[in-house]
Amino acid sequence: DVQAHLDENKELEIKECKLEFEKSVLILDGIIDPLNDGDLVLNIDGSDASLGLFSQLLKDEEKKNLNKGDFYFNGMIKGKTFIEIPFIEFSFGFKDFELINPVSKRTIKNLNLKGKFVSGENDDFSEAKLKIDTLNADFPDGTLKLSGSIKNFLVPEVDLQLYLKADVTGLDEVFKLDIIDEIKEKIEINDNIKGKYIESEKRFVSEINNAKIFLEDFGFNIPGAIKVDKVNGSIIRKNDDYYIDNLSVISRR
């Protein structure tokens, strides 16, 4: 549904433009001036999006297992669209999502996300920044916590912290993970990475690049490539050095 009209300044005013997608509704309103290089101010309100957009991350047959949660997406697009890439800013997130794992029959609870994207003033996105304030959840036998940022999309600068401790059995049956399936058993990851990609050298240079991974009977399958089963032990990364401790793996094609 769209309501729009030309005002006395020959600007096109958009009111209550509804964009519907998978039972979610985004409301758009703003003004575009076609006589001034397509000068646009457009506001986006996704407060009615509810569960619909988040459910796109789930496999179709598992959407019924999404019990509850609130989603939000609010943003703004501004600029002379005929001659430049407009400035974009939006906030997004979800709160208190809860879904049932169809394999383990256990529940993932308190899944929360808070993030923001700003494109910056430069057309090359060198001032762009994506920030994840929080991504956390209570998993069976553990928890998920992630935060960090990526800025300067021309020469990306990354600062991320991840902690995951969980029984991940059946996650491939919950989320759309197209290249991997048959995920099972327990994993613990503590990862901290900070650095930037150097385009001229085609490599990532890090200030901090540390990780610890602990595996207990962990397994997965990449169809047509390899199947890994009963992975036990630990892997530690310190910058470019890797250390393996009591690692055992059963694999087959």
Side-chain angles (χ1 to χ4, degrees):
D1 298 331
V2 180
Q3 295 183 18
H5 73 275
L6 284 171
D7 63 17
E8 63 274 12
N9 297 317
K10 296 186 178 180
E11 295 178 339
L12 181 64
E13 185 176 4
I14 302 169
K15 288 187 176 181
E16 296 184 3
C17 174
K18 294 184 180 180
L19 177 63
E20 297 187 18
F21 177 74
E22 292 292 335
K23 299 181 181 180
S24 298
V25 178
L26 299 177
I27 307 296
L28 293 81
D29 66 78
I31 295 176
I32 182 169
D33 184 354
L35 301 180
N36 186 20
D37 296 320
D39 193 19
L40 170 71
V41 177
L42 183 66
N43 297 304
I44 305 170
D45 180 4
S47 58
D48 292 331
S50 188
L51 304 182
L53 288 179
F54 178 80
S55 68
Q56 301 312 299
L57 301 175
L58 308 178
K59 288 190 172 182
D60 290 340
E61 60 270 24
E62 300 311 325
K63 293 178 181 179
K64 64 181 182 296
N65 292 320
L66 181 57
N67 287 344
K68 65 176 184 177
D70 294 316
F71 175 90
Y72 72 89
F73 181 97
N74 298 291
M76 179 265 292
I77 302 173
K78 181 179 181 180
K80 299 181 184 298
T81 56
F82 295 169
I83 61 172
E84 65 183 11
I85 297 177
F87 175 84
I88 303 170
E89 180 178 2
F90 58 82
S91 300
F92 58 92
F94 42 80
K95 182 179 180 182
D96 297 334
F97 275 83
E98 183 176 299
L99 60 156
I100 299 172
N101 185 319
V103 177
S104 67
K105 306 302 180 184
R106 303 171 76 182
T107 303
I108 300 172
K109 300 179 180 179
N110 302 318
L111 181 55
N112 294 278
L113 169 67
K114 181 180 179 182
K116 185 175 182 178
F117 173 79
V118 180
S119 67
E121 300 290 346
N122 295 339
D123 288 349
D124 60 5
F125 288 97
S126 60
E127 293 184 346
K129 183 175 183 179
L130 172 65
K131 183 175 182 180
I132 304 297
D133 287 329
T134 56
L135 171 58
N136 55 58
D138 294 331
F139 273 76
D141 299 328
T143 187
L144 166 67
K145 296 180 180 179
L146 183 147
S147 62
S149 65
I150 301 174
K151 61 181 181 180
N152 188 349
F153 285 21
L154 186 65
V155 183
E157 299 177 32
V158 178
D159 185 358
L160 294 174
Q161 299 82 43
L162 167 66
Y163 179 73
L164 170 64
K165 182 180 180 181
D167 182 344
V168 294
T169 301
L171 283 191
D172 55 290
E173 295 297 327
V174 177
F175 298 101
K176 292 181 179 178
L177 305 175
D178 295 334
I179 65 171
I180 188 171
D181 60 21
E182 298 181 38
I183 300 175
K184 58 183 177 180
E185 296 304 332
K186 298 178 181 179
I187 186 170
E188 181 176 352
I189 303 173
N190 195 339
D191 200 339
N192 187 359
I193 184 168
K194 182 178 182 180
K196 67 170 61 177
Y197 181 75
I198 307 300
E199 174 65 26
S200 60
E201 301 177 13
K202 304 296 182 184
R203 68 188 184 98
F204 185 83
V205 178
S206 58
E207 298 177 33
I208 302 172
N209 189 5
N210 300 322
K212 295 180 181 179
I213 303 174
F214 302 94
L215 304 157
E216 182 180 340
D217 291 336
F218 180 71
F220 63 89
N221 176 45
I222 300 177
I226 190 172
K227 185 172 183 177
V228 176
D229 197 12
K230 296 287 184 181
V231 184
N232 288 278
S234 62
I235 302 171
I236 298 174
R237 184 186 76 238
K238 293 183 178 180
N239 295 317
D240 294 329
D241 297 323
Y242 288 80
Y243 304 89
I244 296 173
D245 186 21
N246 295 322
L247 187 68
S248 62
V249 182
I250 299 174
S251 67
R252 58 183 182 274
R253 292 187 179 274

